């Protein structure tokens, strides 16, 4: 299976419309890949809080249209990263869009864990509540977004739902790059799954981005890692390695569920 992670630079000075067109062209250039992955909130930048409201789109808005067409033109499965979604009946959501090679929407995932504590995304957007998996030929994707990477229980729930390849679009800052790499590898090792994590390059809203998109195999080996700048990270991997790893080192079968709470004396 061939995956291309498009680590684009999200910089001020490029309009959302121009970036959308540029990204659509980059997706088209990936014809021949099986799966293409874009980062989180690449239209605005994950830290450009002021733009969430002004650039929010309905689910089937301009980014949906452009990415559906790019996926079908390239004939690829496309995880189109996320957009600030304006739900007509509710708050904004940080929503990922996944398209099939015919350009149909295969799934939408509203980010469950919002970043920012008492500001930013955490107060400007609503929290999703539904797990999303998508069956592709050869593997089942489990979907999470950026800050979700810090919550292992979400990934374990995705694995319980059948996920074998965990896809994580992000807008992760440079100042916590070590956490990004460490957590991507940890999620791969503990779940015996591939992790495809696609970040952004550049600086937006004064926050330098880490880049360093990464692909990790079910044994925790880094198959490919990008640098800090704009880059397309292409990797070939064998999805069957999930089953062989889980058979040969069956740690997932040793889970002890339903433990008693601590006994207070
Ligand atoms: N956009 C995000 O979710 C940022 C997450 C982050 O910076 C962190 O977890 O650290």
């Amino acid at each position: 299976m061939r995956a291309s992670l498009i680590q684009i630079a999200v910089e001020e000075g490029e309009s959302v419309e121009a970036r959308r067109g540029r990204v659509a062209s980059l997706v088209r250039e990936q014809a021949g890949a099986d799966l293409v992955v874009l980062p989180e909130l690449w239209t605005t930048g994950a830290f450009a809080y002021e733009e969430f409201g002004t650039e929010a789109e309905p689910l089937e808005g301009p980014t949906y249209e452009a990415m559906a067409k790019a996926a079908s033109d390239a004939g690829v499965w496309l995880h189109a990263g996320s957009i600030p979604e304006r739900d007509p009946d509710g708050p904004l959501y940080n929503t990922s869009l996944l398209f099939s090679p015919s350009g149909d929407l295969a799934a939408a995932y509203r980010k469950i864990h919002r970043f920012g504590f008492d500001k930013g995304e955490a107060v400007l957007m609503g929290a999703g509540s539904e797990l999303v998996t998508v069956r592709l030929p050869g593997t089942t994707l489990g979907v999470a977004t950026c800050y979700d990477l810090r919550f292992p229980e979400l990934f374990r729930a995705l694995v319980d739902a059948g996920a074998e390849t965990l896809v994580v679009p992000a807008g992760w800052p440079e100042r916590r790059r070590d956490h990004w790499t460490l957590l991507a590898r940890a999620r791969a090792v503990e779940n015996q799954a591939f992790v495809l994590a696609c970040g952004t390059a550049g600086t937006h809203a004064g926050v330098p981005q880490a880049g360093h998109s990464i692909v990790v195999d079910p044994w925790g080996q880094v198959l490919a890692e990008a640098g800090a700048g704009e880059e397309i990270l292409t990797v070939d991997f064998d999805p069957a390695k999930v089953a062989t790893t889980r058979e040969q080192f069956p740690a997932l079968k040793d889970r002890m569920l339903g433990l008693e709470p601590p006994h207070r004396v």
Side-chain angles (χ1 to χ4, degrees):
M1 183 161 193
R2 173 164 294 180
S4 289
L5 282 58
I6 304 184
Q7 175 177 292
I8 53 156
V10 179
E11 303 265 19
E12 280 129 38
E14 181 181 43
S15 71
V16 170
E17 204 182 338
R19 189 173 307 123
R20 199 181 283 124
R22 192 164 70 82
V23 169
S25 300
L26 290 170
V27 171
R28 280 189 193 95
E29 287 169 19
Q30 307 316 308
D34 299 294
L35 173 65
V36 176
V37 184
L38 299 175
E40 177 190 30
L41 295 176
W42 54 268
T43 56
T44 56
F47 289 87
Y49 302 138
E50 297 77 33
E51 291 182 47
F52 290 175
T54 54
E55 298 296 342
E57 311 173 28
L59 188 76
E60 298 190 12
T63 302
Y64 179 110
E65 295 292 335
M67 293 302 112
K69 180 149 186 357
S72 74
D73 288 349
V76 296
W77 287 89
L78 173 63
H79 185 315
S82 69
I83 56 164
E85 179 206 352
R86 184 178 298 288
D87 180 338
D89 306 317
L92 302 182
Y93 291 99
N94 183 340
T95 304
S96 288
L97 305 171
L98 285 95
F99 296 97
S100 74
S102 51
D104 295 320
L105 186 72
Y109 166 68
R110 286 174 167 170
K111 184 178 181 183
I112 291 175
H113 302 95
R114 298 157 300 162
F115 183 68
F117 309 113
D118 55 358
K119 59 180 180 356
E121 181 188 22
V123 294
L124 296 170
M125 289 185 172
S129 57
E130 283 177 26
L131 296 177
V132 171
T133 60
V134 182
R135 184 67 201 158
L136 267 59
T139 192
T140 297
L141 305 185
V143 181
T145 305
C146 202
Y147 186 51
D148 281 335
L149 195 56
R150 294 185 181 273
F151 299 87
E153 63 277 15
L154 168 63
F155 289 80
R156 190 47 64 84
L158 288 168
V159 166
D160 284 343
E164 298 165 323
T165 299
L166 303 163
V167 185
V168 189
W172 200 277
E174 165 58 24
R175 74 172 75 95
R176 290 184 291 280
R177 174 154 72 84
D178 285 353
H179 293 193
W180 165 251
T181 314
L182 180 69
L183 291 166
R185 292 191 68 197
R187 297 296 83 88
V189 172
E190 73 198 359
N191 293 301
Q192 303 184 303
F194 285 96
V195 169
L196 277 51
C198 181
T200 49
T203 296
H204 61 265
V207 182
Q209 295 294 290
H212 284 264
S213 296
I214 190 166
V215 177
V216 190
D217 80 5
W219 195 246
Q221 299 295 312
V222 176
L223 299 185
E225 183 172 345
E230 190 159 286
E231 182 172 336
I232 297 177
L233 189 69
T234 298
V235 64
D236 291 311
F237 65 99
D238 179 5
K241 192 162 182 194
V242 172
T244 51
T245 304
R246 290 178 183 176
E247 269 160 38
Q248 289 167 6
F249 194 85
L252 285 173
K253 289 192 181 142
D254 279 341
R255 292 164 66 191
M256 302 289 277
L257 302 172
L259 296 177
E260 299 287 332
H263 214 73
R264 304 224 181 270
V265 283

